[in-house]
Amino acid sequence: MIAAREIQVEKIAKSRLADTPLENIPFGRYFTDHMLEADYAGGEWKSVKVVPYGPLQLDPSTAALHYGQAIFEGIKAYRDETGNAYVFRPYDNWERFNKSALRMNMPTVPEEIFIEGMRKLIGVDKEWIPTMKEHALYIRPFMFSTDALLGVRPSETYKFLIILSPSGPYFAAPMKIIVEEQYTRAAPGGVGFSKNAGNYGGSLLAATEAKEKGYDQVLWTDAFEHKWLQEVGMMNVFFMMDGVAVTPSLDEGTILAGVTRSSVITLLQEMGIRVEERRVNIDELLAAYGKGRLTELFGTGTAAVIAPIKELRYKDFSLEMNLDKAPVQNELRARLAAIRSGAEADVHGWMWKV
Ligand code: COI
């Protein structure tokens, strides 16, 4: 196994850190000085190294650009008052990354490249971790096929990279969501559970049309009836009904198995709130809302953490949520922040020290 210390580092000549505003920094627009790069060929990973962040040179026939063998992850790193860097549950993302890889007929990435590479890279660019509230160093591991060939077949060569982006919150304000009834994100047997680039590309038109109607994102529904709820934009979704937290189950393979989703389920259970992972449809939500039993809606994701939803639109119905009374999502947000900052004991071992 490659240890982090064995990964070669080629340092940038002049750091860009002094020119980067680490406070109130937008999501995903600035990148640190270095990136991790590894290449797969001849059935094995080779040349793992940390190099200056910069453009890649690609053949115009690079397979990923044509046939979409491309997957990614989103992870966050934090820094405590003493300067130690921590990453939130990176092994869960590593496992999910490899599930995405298998589904997309790509090679898996071993721990010594994904985890040790991340350790090395963050070690080199540790000063870039923002410390401001709701800020983090967003970690983006990704892999794509690199064969220069237009034939449709799994590539024989791949590139794996990790880039780092100091970032503030993804959503600045509570969201207005519309139930999607025309487009489909995922169907059983498809690739909905995997974090492949195409899932995001395929969602953009629906999101654009939602914006034109005055909404921030769509709530995806099943491919057949457009009634069964899946996820919000690029986040998992939770509904508080009668004091029970309901979230769509992962069973059909149409939903991303969110790491924040899983953390939220654990925290809800600790808070004494029953969690139901099951099928849930829009009629149930409307009925619960009509009787005053639907009290909170929120999205969960690495980038967004806990994203409040203030309105859900379905046909002529508008479900308006009172965010002044949102105790569950507020407590979840506060507890996740406390675990990340070290103010609350990390009893689940979620914080991984770099
Ligand atoms: C994440 O939450 O990390 C995501 O994948 C969302 C991203 C596409 C911005």
Side-chain angles (χ1 to χ4, degrees):
M1 176 159 143
I2 304 173
R5 65 181 172 282
E6 290 165 27
I7 298 174
Q8 297 298 310
V9 178
E10 184 195 326
K11 284 245 172 124
I12 198 164
K14 185 177 177 313
S15 172
R16 288 175 281 103
L17 180 58
D19 307 322
T20 310
L22 277 196
E23 302 209 329
N24 293 317
I25 191 165
F27 177 87
R29 201 162 296 160
Y30 291 85
F31 298 94
T32 67
D33 285 331
H34 300 91
M35 61 186 187
L36 180 100
E37 193 174 357
D39 289 298
Y40 180 92
E44 59 179 345
W45 285 101
K46 36 189 110 186
S47 67
V48 190
K49 51 192 187 295
V50 170
V51 294
Y53 181 94
L56 304 172
Q57 204 178 20
L58 296 177
D59 193 289
S61 67
T62 296
L65 301 178
H66 300 267
Y67 306 127
Q69 263 189 310
I71 62 170
F72 70 96
E73 271 302 326
I75 312 174
K76 276 182 175 169
Y78 304 87
R79 197 153 48 124
D80 68 13
E81 312 80 53
T82 56
N84 290 316
Y86 291 87
V87 179
F88 190 74
R89 303 186 70 172
Y91 280 88
D92 296 75
N93 293 85
W94 171 51
E95 277 174 24
R96 187 173 68 183
F97 187 81
N98 281 338
K99 282 186 188 152
S100 300
L102 293 172
R103 177 63 183 86
M104 297 303 287
N105 211 338
M106 301 165 91
T108 55
V109 176
E111 179 180 351
E112 59 265 34
I113 296 180
F114 192 102
I115 298 285
E116 292 306 312
M118 181 186 302
R119 189 198 295 278
K120 187 76 178 190
L121 178 64
I122 295 175
V124 172
D125 281 344
K126 203 162 97 177
E127 299 305 314
W128 287 78
I129 305 178
T131 48
M132 197 179 168
K133 191 168 170 270
E134 295 186 4
H135 285 51
L137 185 69
Y138 185 78
I139 306 166
R140 171 54 62 89
F142 62 108
M143 170 167 62
F144 59 92
S145 55
T146 51
D147 277 8
L149 175 82
L150 293 184
V152 181
R153 60 150 173 75
S155 182
E156 287 166 1
T157 59
Y158 295 86
K159 202 176 255 307
F160 171 73
L161 295 113
I162 305 179
I163 55 174
L164 306 173
S165 175
S167 292
Y170 196 89
F171 292 107
M175 293 181 296
K176 289 171 72 180
I177 305 289
I178 184 163
V179 175
E180 180 56 57
E181 293 186 86
Q182 180 186 358
Y183 302 113
T184 299
R185 177 185 173 278
V191 294
F193 69 90
S194 76
K195 209 160 171 68
N196 80 81
N199 280 346
Y200 295 78
S203 75
L204 297 176
L205 182 59
T208 299
E209 291 184 9
K211 282 207 175 73
E212 285 163 3
K213 293 178 202 150
Y215 296 89
D216 300 297
Q217 264 301 348
V218 301
L219 175 52
W220 291 106
T221 51
D222 70 289
F224 309 106
E225 297 174 73
H226 284 300
K227 287 230 161 218
W228 298 93
L229 308 175
Q230 295 182 338
E231 51 183 58
V232 160
M234 66 233 168
M235 287 175 289
N236 295 118
V237 65
F238 285 77
F239 315 105
M240 287 302 303
M241 285 189 276
D242 284 328
V244 175
V246 178
T247 191
S249 70
L250 306 174
D251 298 347
E252 290 175 356
T254 52
I255 293 170
L256 194 77
V259 177
T260 309
R261 175 186 184 277
S262 138
S263 311
V264 159
I265 290 175
T266 301
L267 293 180
L268 285 166
Q269 286 163 342
E270 283 177 6
M271 286 155 61
I273 293 174
R274 195 165 93 221
V275 180
E276 290 178 4
E277 292 180 73
R278 61 168 169 85
R279 298 189 90 203
V280 48
N281 80 25
I282 186 64
D283 295 330
E284 178 182 354
L285 233 52
L286 291 177
Y289 181 80
K291 293 181 187 143
R293 292 169 29 219
L294 178 70
T295 50
E296 293 188 46
L297 302 176
F298 54 91
T300 67
T302 297
V305 192
I306 309 284
I309 298 173
K310 66 175 179 190
E311 186 191 330
L312 179 65
R313 178 91 187 179
Y314 176 62
K315 297 191 192 293
D316 292 335
F317 303 100
S318 206
L319 282 53
E320 295 194 7
M321 308 309 300
N322 180 358
L323 288 175
D324 294 332
K325 282 203 198 131
V328 176
Q329 57 190 290
N330 289 343
E331 183 169 344
L332 288 168
R333 193 176 302 109
R335 286 200 59 196
L336 279 171
I339 293 169
R340 290 188 310 243
S341 71
E344 179 176 329
D346 176 24
V347 295
H348 304 289
W350 287 342
M351 302 305 288
W352 176 82
K353 194 163 175 215
V354 172

